Amino acid sequence: MTATVTTPLRITPLSILGSRRALRLIERNIYVYRRSWIIFVSGFFEPFFYLLSIGVGLNKLVGALHIGNRLVAYTAYVAPGLLASSAMNGALFDATFNMFFRLKIAKTYDAILSTPLGPNDVALGELGWSLIRGSTYSGVFIVVMALFGYVLSPWAILCLPAAVLIGFAFAGVGLAATSFMRTWQDFDKVSLAIIPMFLFSATFYPLSVYPGWLQLVVRATPLYQAVALERGLDAGALSASLVGHAAYLAVLGLAGLVVTSRRLARLLLP
Amino acid sequence: MDPSDAFGATSRVPAADGEPLVVASGLVKRFGEFVAVDGVDFSIGRGESYGFLGPNGAGKTSTMRMIACMSPVSAGTLRVLGRDPDRDGPEIRSRIGVVPQEDTLDLELTVLDNLLVYGRYFDLPRRVIRERAEELLDFVQLTERARDRVESLSGGMKRRLTIARSLVSDPELLILDEPTTGLDPQARHLLWDRLYRLRRRGVTLVITTHYMDEAEQLCERLAVMDRGRFAAEGAPRDLIAKYSTREVVELRFGATEPAGVAAALEGLAQRREVLPDRVLLYSDDGDATLGEVHRLGLTPESTLVRRSSLEDVFLHLTGRTLVE
Ligand SMILES: Nc1ncnc2c1ncn2[C@@H]1O[C@H](COP(=O)(O)OP(=O)(O)OP(=O)(O)O)[C@@H](O)[C@H]1O
Ligand SMILES: [Mg+2]
């Protein structure tokens, strides 16, 4: 067969999302964290501290707020928002900093691509690992929410799968963005995107405080979608819009995964 | 214990004059406009050891990466283990071991975990990997460092670990890109010995090196590459016979090299090479040629008559180190 290849190697329609070989990359990351479990454990505390400082601190000042038609205490209002942002952060950490280190500094993937694993397996494996890590944090946070009485309806059981979906979306986007980064300084741009999103995406107060046009902007952000999904499920305020939020996140994650596979093939298999 | 116990229990039977393991024809590698490999043809048989020689930038690594299915072929055809790298990359790679030119060890893992995790990429059972890893660490003399982080190893130790890693999967085809760079003489000889034994078990070796003695020792057949093309191909002995004379006279004139010495030596032998530090005269009778040098009244600081080696072939074919 005469090959005049212009498309990246090893990306065929069927394998575009990777194969079960991706599990091996997850296994690798488990080996890594076995020896640095403190870093892993530290991730549990961040959302918890936020909940204590912002939620509990402001609770007395703010009073009650609406989720759907329900009136809830401020802490109960903020908790699902923090759950969504912790799912985001948990997934992003591995998908950005660690991925960059492996891709550009340690050249970890160069060696991996001399084994049966392909760039799509690497992308899927890293995504899977980010998900596992992020979901673990989310799971613990949901338990804490339940213990403090911030879980408002039986539908909250769906908060965990929703957190996994949020992790999927942000891990996909994070991996894809990282594959375009050249230096550590480029990560300032990530912070520039994350911090305002975290502060303004209706995590801490309802969208209604904004003028109409700004509401549209905020609605477009993935974190808003994530927060709205968690808040709706937690309060049992089911509506069709929840399906929309979920679809938004799923598409985002998938697109990120596909872009990441293609970028890795270009970068690592010149 | 025979160290190969942890590996294939029986020797691989060389395919009875079967299909070559690697076949390339008109193989091209382009990086944008730049042509790194410019239409080469070769075929490597099962159990053979094949070497790529050539100056920096000749295209050796580019060729090896294509064979290892780590770089898409730009044009021409390539078949590895009877398959198409473009389509069957993962299957081919599962049967190949690679020592890349630059170490790519996993910095987040320990020495032992580097082997264990790498073996898992090949879907091998943990028990098998552990057994092999122990033997391999022993072979590369890193058993004491098994629990250390990779960063704490010296350059040569990292190289040794990379070599060990390439063997974890018990490959049929082993691709070694300058494997002994940075190794001390003892480690180098240990590797040579290991490669020799692998070959006897039917493992095919593809090697690049800048050490001509190594190429002569390890390779049954060699390709001398220059600017992306093959300048010559053949067994080391045949290459020497074809591209060099039986003997070489090396003359050093030191700092007081008289002007025009090189010109005076012109025509004394079948061929003359002028290097920055010495002049080489190629002749089938070195002593006779040296006698003529003395008759010309030239008094080199030192002289040496030796047999031709691959180094001379390399010089002749690539001319890279010549003073033009
Ligand atoms: N990823 C790349 N992008 C662009 N050019 C490349 C790339 N890789 C190699 N080249 C170019 O291709 C040519 C051949 O490189 P290659 O690494 O194959 O040489 P080599 O024979 O292995 O040399 P050395 O002895 O230095 O290892 C060089 O001119 C190099 O600059
Ligand atoms: Mg090279």
Side-chain angles (χ1 to χ4, degrees):
Chain A
M1 194 203 85
T2 306
T4 38
V5 185
T6 47
T7 50
L9 201 65
R10 267 174 262 166
I11 301 229
T12 58
L14 277 179
S15 64
I16 186 100
L17 297 179
S19 65
R20 51 176 279 283
R21 281 187 282 266
L23 289 175
R24 298 293 166 240
L25 198 82
I26 294 178
E27 200 174 325
R28 172 208 174 264
N29 289 345
I30 293 173
Y31 268 89
V32 172
Y33 280 96
R34 258 191 349 187
R35 294 184 198 278
S36 44
W37 54 271
I38 296 223
I39 296 174
F40 194 96
V41 168
S42 66
F44 289 118
F45 294 104
E46 191 188 303
F48 189 59
F49 289 153
Y50 270 111
L51 187 66
L52 283 182
S53 73
I54 296 174
V56 179
L58 292 179
N59 204 21
K60 296 231 169 62
L61 298 175
V62 179
L65 285 164
H66 279 284
I67 302 181
N69 300 323
R70 282 184 70 160
L71 199 61
V72 302
Y74 182 64
T75 335
Y77 179 84
V78 162
L82 288 173
L83 172 61
S85 31
S86 88
M88 170 181 84
N89 282 325
L92 275 182
F93 196 78
D94 266 290
T96 55
F97 291 105
N98 290 343
M99 158 94 164
F100 187 78
F101 175 75
R102 290 167 195 158
L103 181 64
K104 293 286 166 74
I105 313 292
K107 309 273 180 207
T108 312
Y109 303 133
D110 290 65
I112 292 176
L113 292 185
S114 68
T115 75
L117 274 75
N120 40 358
D121 300 322
V122 170
L124 187 64
E126 286 295 6
L127 186 107
W129 169 253
S130 301
L131 270 188
I132 292 172
R133 186 169 173 187
S135 309
T136 315
Y137 299 150
S138 304
V140 170
F141 191 73
I142 289 169
V143 171
V144 171
M145 277 170 66
L147 291 178
F148 278 75
Y150 304 144
V151 165
L152 303 173
S153 95
W155 290 103
I157 196 85
L158 292 179
C159 281
L160 183 60
V164 175
L165 184 63
I166 294 164
F168 174 68
F170 282 99
V173 171
L175 290 170
T178 303
S179 71
F180 287 96
M181 294 190 188
R182 290 162 202 281
T183 65
W184 286 114
Q185 277 73 46
D186 288 340
F187 282 98
D188 295 345
K189 293 174 198 156
V190 175
S191 308
L192 210 61
I194 298 298
I195 293 175
M197 199 158 68
F198 177 57
L199 293 175
F200 301 121
S201 285
T203 313
F204 298 105
Y205 42 79
L207 199 58
S208 54
V209 302
Y210 293 127
W213 65 270
L214 196 54
Q215 287 191 20
L216 285 181
V217 174
V218 173
R219 265 179 203 284
T221 66
L223 186 58
Y224 171 78
Q225 303 278 330
V227 171
L229 179 62
E230 291 292 14
R231 200 163 274 154
L233 289 172
D234 179 47
L238 303 188
S239 70
S241 63
L242 293 191
V243 178
H245 299 320
Y248 175 111
L249 295 169
V251 168
L252 200 60
L254 270 179
L257 183 57
V258 171
V259 170
T260 308
S261 298
R262 299 205 158 252
R263 283 288 299 167
L264 288 184
R266 278 189 52 136
L267 291 172
L268 298 171
L269 304 170
Chain B
M1 185 190 97
D2 181 354
S4 59
D5 275 0
F7 300 86
T10 52
S11 310
R12 291 197 176 83
V13 186
D17 128 298
E19 192 189 359
L21 226 65
V22 184
V23 192
S25 72
L27 188 61
V28 172
K29 181 70 207 181
R30 274 186 231 107
F31 296 105
E33 293 293 292
F34 181 79
V35 183
V37 179
D38 194 4
V40 298
D41 306 279
F42 57 90
S43 102
I44 304 170
R46 188 177 283 274
E48 194 176 14
S49 61
Y50 191 92
F52 289 99
L53 299 184
N56 294 142
K60 304 179 297 293
T61 298
S62 304
T63 307
M64 303 262 268
R65 283 179 57 89
M66 286 191 279
I67 299 175
C69 310
M70 294 172 72
S71 167
V73 171
S74 304
T77 66
L78 176 66
R79 290 190 77 76
V80 183
L81 296 156
R83 290 162 177 259
D84 177 2
D86 196 23
R87 222 188 39 229
D88 305 321
E91 288 73 23
I92 299 172
R93 289 196 306 274
S94 71
R95 294 158 66 187
I96 292 185
V98 177
V99 176
Q101 183 167 352
E102 315 223 335
D103 293 323
T104 52
L105 294 165
D106 198 323
L107 301 180
E108 294 171 85
L109 296 172
T110 62
V111 169
L112 177 64
D113 285 353
N114 255 278
L115 299 184
L116 298 181
V117 167
Y118 198 78
R120 291 296 286 159
Y121 295 144
F122 289 83
D123 244 340
L124 299 168
R126 287 192 191 79
R127 186 186 48 77
V128 173
I129 304 170
R130 191 162 279 280
E131 223 170 275
R132 288 182 187 171
E134 267 168 35
E135 191 277 316
L136 287 169
L137 284 183
D138 188 44
F139 159 56
V140 295
Q141 305 183 327
L142 287 174
T143 306
E144 264 97 76
R145 310 297 298 266
R147 316 243 153 239
D148 292 354
R149 287 213 152 223
V150 165
E151 284 134 286
S152 70
L153 298 183
S154 76
M157 290 176 185
K158 285 185 188 146
R159 198 68 188 145
R160 272 148 47 188
L161 184 57
T162 302
I163 291 168
R165 192 183 66 179
S166 74
L167 294 171
V168 163
S169 62
D170 193 19
E172 278 168 69
L173 171 62
L174 192 55
I175 295 178
L176 307 134
D177 199 347
E178 300 186 26
T180 57
T181 302
L183 294 189
D184 63 36
Q186 191 224 3
R188 226 171 137 207
H189 282 280
L190 275 175
L191 177 66
W192 288 2
D193 175 59
R194 179 79 173 215
L195 294 179
Y196 177 74
R197 281 185 288 137
L198 285 171
R199 231 172 77 206
R200 282 215 316 206
R201 279 179 46 224
V203 175
T204 310
L205 308 178
V206 181
I207 305 168
T208 67
T209 177
H210 289 296
Y211 302 111
M212 296 301 136
D213 57 331
E214 185 164 277
E216 225 161 323
Q217 277 268 336
L218 291 178
C219 304
E220 289 166 283
R221 236 152 29 95
L222 292 169
V224 181
M225 283 189 89
D226 194 17
R227 297 183 179 90
R229 294 176 193 233
F230 279 11
E233 192 194 32
R237 199 177 313 164
D238 297 341
L239 288 176
I240 293 170
K242 185 162 175 198
Y243 294 100
S244 194
T245 51
R246 212 171 65 85
E247 295 187 329
V248 187
V249 182
E250 290 200 16
L251 306 173
R252 285 172 199 269
F253 289 93
T256 60
E257 174 175 334
V261 129
L265 293 166
E266 176 87 80
L268 260 194
Q270 279 149 276
R271 225 180 75 239
R272 184 205 57 175
E273 298 274 10
V274 184
L275 304 185
D277 60 334
R278 67 213 139 113
V279 178
L280 306 182
L281 297 176
Y282 291 92
S283 144
D284 285 327
D285 187 344
D287 287 325
T289 307
L290 187 57
E292 286 180 52
V293 171
H294 288 308
R295 260 195 296 286
L296 282 175
L298 295 169
T299 49
E301 200 174 85
S302 72
T303 64
L304 170 72
V305 176
R306 59 168 177 83
R307 299 181 71 84
S308 271
S309 70
L310 270 183
E311 200 115 20
D312 302 297
V313 174
F314 188 89
L315 257 182
H316 180 46
L317 289 172
T318 68
R320 248 338 124 82
T321 49
L322 278 178
V323 175
E324 308 280 11

